[in-house]
Amino acid sequence: MELRTTQEERLFREKARTWLEENVPKEPRPPHGREANDHDRAWQRRQFDGGWAGLSWPKEYGGRGLPLDLQLIWFEEYARAEAPEATNTLYVGLNHAAPTLIASGTPEQQAFHLEKILSAENVWCQGFSEPGAGSDLAALRTRAEIDGDDLVVNGSKIWTSNGHYSHYQELLVRTDPDAPKHKGITWVIGQMDLPGVDIRPIRNMAGGDHFCEVFYNDVRIPLSSVVGKVNDGWRVAMSTLGFERGTASMAHQIELTQFVENLIDYARDNPGPDGRRMAIEDDTIRSRLAAARAETSALKAITLLSISRARRGDAPGPEGSITRLFHTELMQRVHRLAYDLTGSGGLEMEGHRGWSRQYLEQMRQTIAGGTSEIQRNIIGERHLGLPRQPVIAKGA
């Protein structure tokens, strides 16, 4: 791709920087709970009203239709301004549901949902994982039987982030129990306040309660809420996960690059854990910071490659797992470095430098959306053409 900066890009960067300087919330984002949800929705609405939401969305769906090159510049300026983190209660709607509806939804579904997602009027969550179907998503057992013009859903989902604050859910259900494992699955728009939906929050190790269990007891969902076709949900779900593992993580990648630069600045200005010298003067810390900077530079190169492929019109594919695997494991290494860098003093940090809490939050990164082991299998089997991992019989 062309890496030279154009006049259009320079002007766009100046406008983005100015708007962010004038509009980024002064108060820190609450770490979790209803307050965090309200904060996220208000900030997204401010971006929507200012014309800075959905930059790369097609114009016919409420976006500005800008190329991903300019979207990347926005992310860079967003991270530079230390705007609220991109991992928030609107992530699923903006980065999963909306792209899936644009790719596979009906005109009626697109007209009703897309602007409400972009303006933060409606919050979405994901109903994919189940107690016995996490990384092995195709093992899901939540049933949906067709009854007239409705699907009648029974079963449960788990690890449903922000389910108790959401209006809608991207829901996978099994509509043909006799079909092969990856067949007979349907992708449905699930309304969270329907009779029979029971949402139970789960508190995590960092003190948040954004994970939820969701139970379905004879929940009736109109067939008009099916995205794609009945029994074609696995294909639709793979496009959803392709967005998650590909360009949807661009903002997080840029945020991580800025976070490393913040760590380097901190190491220059603050004593290390031994208390005798500045942290940057410690050979081990300096080496780890240099490695983190090099790795985030490599991650940005991968991001530019993703943009180049998207510009050619390529849909997200299994190579997105390469990006996701490297990115999530790098996030954990970088936040462990921050934890080690600040020592016990990190426990007193709040706001954007609440690094001990952020370190705990990173533990889920290599589990959510498919474990690191699953990503390695996808890379090996679908990208490198290696034979499938053998199944070991029980008792062997």
Side-chain angles (χ1 to χ4, degrees):
M1 66 178 291
E2 179 60 68
L3 295 178
R4 289 180 296 183
T5 302
T6 66
Q7 179 67 11
E8 178 190 14
E9 290 169 343
R10 283 192 292 271
L11 291 174
F12 180 84
R13 185 181 296 277
E14 291 174 5
K15 290 180 180 178
R17 182 173 297 184
T18 298
W19 190 88
L20 286 164
E21 287 175 351
E22 295 174 351
N23 288 276
V24 167
K26 304 303 180 185
E27 70 283 359
R29 177 184 185 268
H32 45 72
R34 174 65 66 180
E35 295 81 5
N37 174 67
D38 292 344
H39 184 280
D40 294 341
R41 295 179 70 188
W43 170 230
Q44 177 66 22
R45 182 71 200 200
R46 189 183 303 180
Q47 294 174 77
F48 177 81
D49 291 340
W52 294 98
L55 295 179
S56 60
W57 284 29
K59 290 182 179 179
E60 59 267 33
Y61 300 124
R64 289 177 58 179
L66 299 180
L68 284 175
D69 312 57
L70 298 184
Q71 177 76 79
L72 179 63
I73 291 174
W74 167 257
F75 288 149
E76 290 175 340
E77 292 303 315
Y78 190 98
R80 178 184 176 277
E82 297 188 341
E85 59 189 86
T87 305
N88 60 34
T89 51
L90 301 170
Y91 182 83
V92 169
L94 291 168
N95 297 289
H96 291 190
T100 302
L101 291 175
I102 289 172
S104 302
T106 65
E108 293 77 16
Q109 291 167 347
Q110 294 165 348
F112 182 83
H113 288 288
L114 289 175
E115 183 172 323
K116 291 182 173 67
I117 292 173
L118 197 59
S119 66
E121 180 177 343
N122 286 338
V123 177
W124 282 60
C125 60
Q126 186 178 77
F128 280 19
S129 296
E130 299 180 6
S135 294
D136 185 12
L137 181 58
L140 67 90
R141 300 175 63 184
T142 295
R143 289 282 304 275
E145 298 180 355
I146 297 177
D147 181 19
D149 293 330
D150 294 336
L151 290 170
V152 181
V153 180
N154 285 279
S156 67
K157 298 291 180 177
I158 199 166
W159 312 130
T160 301
S161 296
N162 302 305
H164 47 333
Y165 302 129
S166 297
H167 302 88
Y168 292 93
Q169 179 178 56
E170 45 185 31
L171 177 62
L172 285 186
V173 294
R174 188 165 295 283
T175 40
D176 186 351
D178 299 322
K181 184 176 180 180
H182 292 81
K183 306 293 183 180
I185 294 172
T186 301
W187 202 109
V188 185
I189 300 170
Q191 193 169 329
M192 297 301 287
D193 61 356
L194 290 174
V197 177
D198 180 16
I199 306 168
R200 305 177 190 176
I202 304 170
R203 189 166 297 278
N204 67 18
M205 65 188 293
D209 64 351
H210 69 277
F211 289 137
C212 296
E213 293 178 284
V214 184
F215 297 88
Y216 310 86
N217 183 20
D218 289 335
V219 178
R220 302 188 74 90
I221 300 176
L223 280 169
S224 59
S225 296
V226 170
V227 176
K229 297 179 180 179
V230 172
N231 296 329
D232 189 35
W234 187 254
R235 178 193 63 81
V236 180
M238 289 305 96
S239 70
T240 303
L241 294 176
F243 291 119
E244 177 184 29
R245 294 166 183 166
T247 54
S249 63
M250 281 171 47
H252 303 116
Q253 295 164 21
I254 300 302
E255 285 179 355
L256 187 62
T257 299
Q258 183 62 49
F259 184 67
V260 169
E261 296 306 311
N262 291 344
L263 286 181
I264 292 172
D265 291 341
Y266 179 90
R268 289 194 180 105
D269 299 334
N270 293 272
D274 62 13
R276 298 193 304 268
R277 53 187 169 173
M278 293 299 176
I280 198 73
E281 297 172 2
D282 182 293
D283 289 344
T284 299
I285 289 177
R286 185 165 62 247
S287 177
R288 291 173 68 186
L289 287 169
R293 177 182 270 176
E295 288 184 303
T296 52
S297 295
L299 184 64
K300 184 173 181 180
I302 296 174
T303 302
L304 293 173
L305 178 61
S306 298
I307 291 175
S308 181
R309 286 175 171 163
R311 180 187 285 174
R312 295 198 306 266
D314 297 346
E319 68 275 1
S321 288
I322 299 175
T323 306
R324 178 171 179 80
L325 177 64
F326 181 54
H327 179 209
T328 55
E329 294 190 346
L330 177 57
M331 288 174 74
Q332 290 183 344
R333 290 195 296 274
V334 167
H335 283 85
R336 176 65 201 219
L337 172 56
Y339 185 81
D340 293 342
L341 181 62
T342 57
S344 60
L347 298 175
E348 300 175 357
M349 290 182 173
E350 296 294 340
H352 72 282
R353 282 190 171 175
W355 290 342
S356 59
R357 179 185 62 80
Q358 292 183 36
Y359 169 65
L360 294 176
E361 292 281 5
Q362 301 312 311
M363 295 300 103
R364 63 186 170 88
Q365 296 295 344
T366 50
I367 301 174
T371 65
S372 291
E373 291 75 16
I374 290 294
Q375 305 305 329
R376 287 184 168 87
N377 283 344
I378 293 172
I379 294 166
E381 295 167 11
R382 302 183 196 173
H383 198 64
L384 300 178
L386 300 178
R388 292 180 63 85
Q389 184 177 13
V391 177
I392 301 176
K394 293 182 179 179

